[in-house]
Amino acid sequence: MDIGLRMGLVETADSVPTFASAGLEGRGAAIAGIAHSSWEYLAALLEHRPEVQVLVLSEDDWPAKGRVELFGLPNASEGTLVVAGTEAGWWPDLAAMAGDDRQAELATVYGEPDGRLHLGDFFDLVAVHEVAHLFCEGTVVFPRMWLGEFFANLALHAWVARQATDSLDTLTTLPRLAAQGSGDAFEHRSREAFERLYSSIGGPNYVWYQFRLQVAAAALYDRIGEVAVRKLFDAFRIEGGTDRDSEQFDESIDDATLAARLSAAVDPTLGDFSLAF
């Protein structure tokens, strides 16, 4: 963990070390609460307690301290969770994925009195997704990039369903409606492209993949509950720890073998999804 990233930021009091850009202390405190609650939940569920820190950044601080170029795209690595402390300009554009005929439903959940959509609360929840990634570092190696992302979405959905039920609509509405679209507007739509390009795919296109994974994760949770999180974590846990990346394409495991492993270790529906995604 690089504690030097904290320099110039304001510490927010919480058991999970959280540091915010000047002027964003309130946002830092709110996100710190989400990070702390989700960390405690996952630590108990997975019997694992990694060290983490949270950075809540302004757009000005993002280039020097963020781990991805695009401001507003939450990310985590080496024990550090980075989130935006203000709304990113591209967030409202995600509503177009839902199609014109579903905008009214989006407005009921995310609409503001001025008619604009506010997606800040949705992206605050995505902090839990990134916390889940940090639980995997040095402990789990998923043999596909998409599977590591699926796990993080599954952990996110489980935490909201168990600890923040009032936020279920906020979490699920946009991904559900966006995933119903064809994705024809995006250059990349295949599982192979996701594995090959991953985070270089580009913001909205990458988020479209994440929405599909979020919907599938919700379906698995609804089927077998929070035990799915522990089962998937344990299925790829490396005893004694590892220096390998927590998600990477492992060509020694073909798709059929992976599907069979997921079906046996977690649930048959996840095996089926691994071939259809």
Side-chain angles (χ1 to χ4, degrees), residues 8-167:
L9 303 179
V10 181
E11 184 170 7
T12 297
D14 208 297
S15 57
V16 173
T18 303
F19 302 83
S21 295
L24 297 178
E25 294 87 349
R27 297 292 308 121
I31 295 172
I34 293 172
H36 168 68
S37 175
S38 60
W39 188 92
E40 290 287 356
Y41 171 73
L42 291 174
L45 183 61
L46 303 176
E47 298 180 280
H48 178 48
R49 304 179 74 83
E51 291 187 6
V52 304
Q53 66 178 358
V54 181
L55 308 182
V56 181
L57 302 179
S58 66
E59 191 162 3
D60 287 342
D61 283 336
W62 189 275
K65 299 179 183 295
R67 300 300 180 96
V68 300
E69 182 178 351
L70 181 63
F71 174 70
L73 187 64
N75 58 96
S77 66
E78 299 177 357
T80 300
L81 160 62
V82 179
V83 296
T86 60
E87 293 240 356
W90 59 274
W91 288 355
D93 296 341
L94 299 177
M97 294 187 200
D100 293 341
D101 58 338
R102 303 183 186 99
Q103 294 303 307
E105 186 173 355
L106 284 178
T108 64
V109 177
Y110 309 106
E112 294 284 280
D114 62 4
R116 294 185 300 176
L117 295 181
H118 170 73
L119 296 180
D121 292 342
F122 172 82
F123 276 94
D124 285 355
L125 295 175
V126 178
V128 183
H129 171 111
E130 302 302 337
V131 169
H133 277 311
L134 297 179
F135 270 80
C136 297
E137 289 187 335
T139 304
V140 171
V141 178
F142 293 110
R144 298 290 190 273
M145 310 298 285
W146 74 262
L147 188 56
E149 297 302 323
F150 179 93
F151 170 81
N153 283 319
L154 179 63
L156 163 57
H157 189 91
W159 176 78
V160 172
R162 303 283 293 189
Q163 305 292 323
T165 53
D166 289 347
S167 295

Side-chain angles (χ1 to χ4, degrees), residues 99-268:
D100 293 341
D101 58 338
R102 303 183 186 99
Q103 294 303 307
E105 186 173 355
L106 284 178
T108 64
V109 177
Y110 309 106
E112 294 284 280
D114 62 4
R116 294 185 300 176
L117 295 181
H118 170 73
L119 296 180
D121 292 342
F122 172 82
F123 276 94
D124 285 355
L125 295 175
V126 178
V128 183
H129 171 111
E130 302 302 337
V131 169
H133 277 311
L134 297 179
F135 270 80
C136 297
E137 289 187 335
T139 304
V140 171
V141 178
F142 293 110
R144 298 290 190 273
M145 310 298 285
W146 74 262
L147 188 56
E149 297 302 323
F150 179 93
F151 170 81
N153 283 319
L154 179 63
L156 163 57
H157 189 91
W159 176 78
V160 172
R162 303 283 293 189
Q163 305 292 323
T165 53
D166 289 347
S167 295
L168 262 176
D169 283 346
T170 301
L171 174 65
T172 61
T173 302
L174 176 58
R176 173 175 55 81
L177 296 179
Q180 292 175 18
S182 65
D184 288 343
F186 298 116
E187 179 181 1
H188 306 292
R189 298 185 298 276
S190 69
R191 181 174 70 242
E192 181 275 332
F194 188 81
E195 293 298 317
R196 176 170 48 86
L197 300 172
Y198 190 47
S199 59
S200 65
I201 289 174
N205 198 162
Y206 178 78
V207 172
W208 176 77
Y209 278 106
Q210 289 285 6
F211 284 165
R212 294 174 62 208
L213 292 169
Q214 185 66 54
V215 170
L220 179 61
Y221 177 88
D222 289 344
R223 178 175 167 83
I224 66 174
E226 69 179 355
V227 68
V229 182
R230 181 62 187 262
K231 282 186 172 185
L232 185 52
F233 188 82
D234 286 347
F236 298 95
R237 189 170 191 163
I238 306 298
E239 293 301 326
T242 177
D243 293 330
R244 297 165 61 194
D245 290 341
S246 59
E247 50 187 69
Q248 55 188 239
F249 183 83
D250 186 346
E251 61 183 12
S252 71
I253 302 177
D254 63 36
D255 291 343
T257 300
L258 177 60
R261 184 172 177 180
L262 292 172
S263 294
V266 184
D267 188 78

